[in-house]
């Protein structure tokens, strides 16, 4: 059984592409992006309103105004949306707007947040901490489930290694491992896993082929001017090309969950 986000199901027969900007920057930027990704075949919109940033001087997101714009984009396109929640006190207000709550990589161990998210009744996109093991992520998913929320989708978004050629190292094997370990849907985030626009298509194809339940992709009308994660954001044309690139793999995959042999 998959996880329902509005009319969309992750972990069901359909391969689901989530797409949108890293951060909501303006009404125009969001609505243009939402329309472009919807037309290209995305089924869920993404966009950060409250942004976790490494530097306190970096763009922190539009906050509540960002949530209102996401709701407007949902009305315009019919796409449900996922957005990040960073603190337990934000859960209540964000859950009023969002179809799915994202717990980001930096928050995987924030227990006050996880408890609030478990109680929210909203489906959760739980991203792997950048230095978390597969087992640790599975344990957090278990905690959410025993906290009362079984609607959990896991996300492999790359981990920190000694490699510097990519922003993080994409642990592709984590996808079937986590599916097997938890029975939950698992999606891949090639944008944060690589940090590089040129690697989004090849890593996405690998993700579909390995059996991921979906992808989450950053898209921006003008990545050069993006206020966050421009280097890994696709233009609208590039996103359309990506959807074409993965199509043959999606067809082959067609609703299958590949068995990982027990005890192997
Ligand atoms: C994001 O989705 O924009 C994000 C900040 O992701 P992560 O938590 O994986 O870094
Ligand atoms: Mn981002």
């Amino acid at each position: 059984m998959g996880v329902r986000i509005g009319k969309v199901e992750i972990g069901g027969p359909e391969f689901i592409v989530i797409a949108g900007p890293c951060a909501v920057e303006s009404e125009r930027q969001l609505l243009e992006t939402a329309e472009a990704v919807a037309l290209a075949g995305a089924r869920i919109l993404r966009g950060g309103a409250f942004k976790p940033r490494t530097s306190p001087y970096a763009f922190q997101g539009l906050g509540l105004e960002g949530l209102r714009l996401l709701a407007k984009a949902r009305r315009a396109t019919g796409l449900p949306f996922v957005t990040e929640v960073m603190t337990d006190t934000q859960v209540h207000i964000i859950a009023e707007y969002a179809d799915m709550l994202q717990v980001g990589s930096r928050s995987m161990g924030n227990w006050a947040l996880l408890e609030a998210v478990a109680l929210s009744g909203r489906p959760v996109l739980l991203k792997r901490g950048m230095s978390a093991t597969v087992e640790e992520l599975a344990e957090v998913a278990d905690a959410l489930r025993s906290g009362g929320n079984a609607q959990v989708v896991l996300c492999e978004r790359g981990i920190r290694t000694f490699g510097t050629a990519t922003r993080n190292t994409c642990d592709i094997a984590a996808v079937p491992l986590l599916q097997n370990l938890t029975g939950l849907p698992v999606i891949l985030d090639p944008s944060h896993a690589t940090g590089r626009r040129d690697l989004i298509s090849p890593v996405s194809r690998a993700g579909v082929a390995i059996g991921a339940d979906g992808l989450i992709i950053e898209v921006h009308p003008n990545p050069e001017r993006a206020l966050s994660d421009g280097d890994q954001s696709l233009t609208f044309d590039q996103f359309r090309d990506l959807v074409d690139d993965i199509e043959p793999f999606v067809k082959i995959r067609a609703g299958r969950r590949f068995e990982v042999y027990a005890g192997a």
Side-chain angles (χ1 to χ4, degrees):
M1 255 286 284
V3 171
R4 288 211 148 273
I5 299 98
K7 291 191 201 111
V8 182
E9 184 185 16
I10 303 182
E14 192 188 349
F15 184 81
I16 301 298
V17 178
I18 304 173
C22 177
V24 179
E25 297 171 4
S26 70
E27 176 161 349
R28 188 162 166 206
Q29 172 248 14
L30 182 67
L31 287 170
E32 280 182 6
T33 308
E35 266 153 32
V37 300
L39 269 174
R43 302 297 313 278
I44 299 176
L45 176 67
R46 64 147 289 145
F50 296 88
K51 292 302 298 175
R53 303 305 301 277
T54 307
S55 161
Y57 305 112
F59 178 58
Q60 305 291 314
L62 294 183
L64 199 54
E65 176 60 12
L67 295 179
R68 291 198 192 100
L69 293 175
L70 284 159
K72 191 163 185 180
R74 174 175 53 203
R75 283 196 298 278
T77 60
L79 296 183
F81 73 84
V82 57
T83 195
E84 177 156 357
V85 48
M86 294 193 296
T87 67
D88 52 338
T89 52
Q90 285 171 348
V91 170
H92 182 69
I93 180 75
I94 297 181
E96 269 180 38
Y97 287 85
D99 301 282
M100 184 181 215
L101 304 178
Q102 173 171 321
V103 174
S105 190
R106 293 158 193 79
S107 303
M108 199 197 95
N110 179 344
W111 292 103
L113 172 63
L114 291 163
E115 237 170 75
V117 163
L119 293 172
S120 72
R122 287 285 181 206
V124 186
L125 179 60
L126 177 62
K127 297 187 96 176
R128 180 178 182 180
M130 58 187 82
S131 55
T133 65
V134 161
E135 289 81 3
E136 285 162 349
L137 178 56
E139 278 178 12
V140 174
D142 269 348
L144 279 175
R145 286 193 281 194
S146 52
N149 195 337
Q151 301 168 274
V152 180
V153 174
L154 301 178
C155 179
E156 163 60 34
R157 48 78 73 207
I159 49 173
R160 277 281 165 91
T161 65
F162 55 80
T164 54
T166 52
R167 179 177 176 180
N168 291 291
T169 296
C170 183
D171 183 8
I172 196 94
V175 172
L177 272 172
L178 284 164
Q179 287 171 330
N180 206 38
L181 205 57
T182 64
L184 294 170
V186 180
I187 68 169
L188 184 66
D189 176 347
S191 307
H192 293 89
T194 68
R196 294 175 53 135
R197 193 175 305 125
D198 58 335
L199 294 178
I200 306 300
S201 173
V203 173
S204 295
R205 283 178 267 142
V208 185
I210 208 165
D213 294 286
L215 295 170
I216 181 164
I217 307 284
E218 289 186 336
V219 179
H220 193 282
N222 185 352
E224 236 106 275
R225 305 204 133 210
L227 297 181
S228 65
D229 289 352
D231 291 346
Q232 66 197 37
S233 297
L234 300 182
T235 63
F236 299 166
D237 282 346
Q238 288 164 344
F239 180 69
R240 281 189 285 267
D241 287 344
L242 170 75
V243 174
D244 285 348
D245 290 349
I246 63 171
E247 196 187 272
F249 297 87
V250 171
K251 277 198 181 129
I252 292 170
R253 183 193 167 281
R256 289 176 62 184
R257 290 292 287 271
F258 298 97
E259 288 300 318
V260 176
Y261 301 111

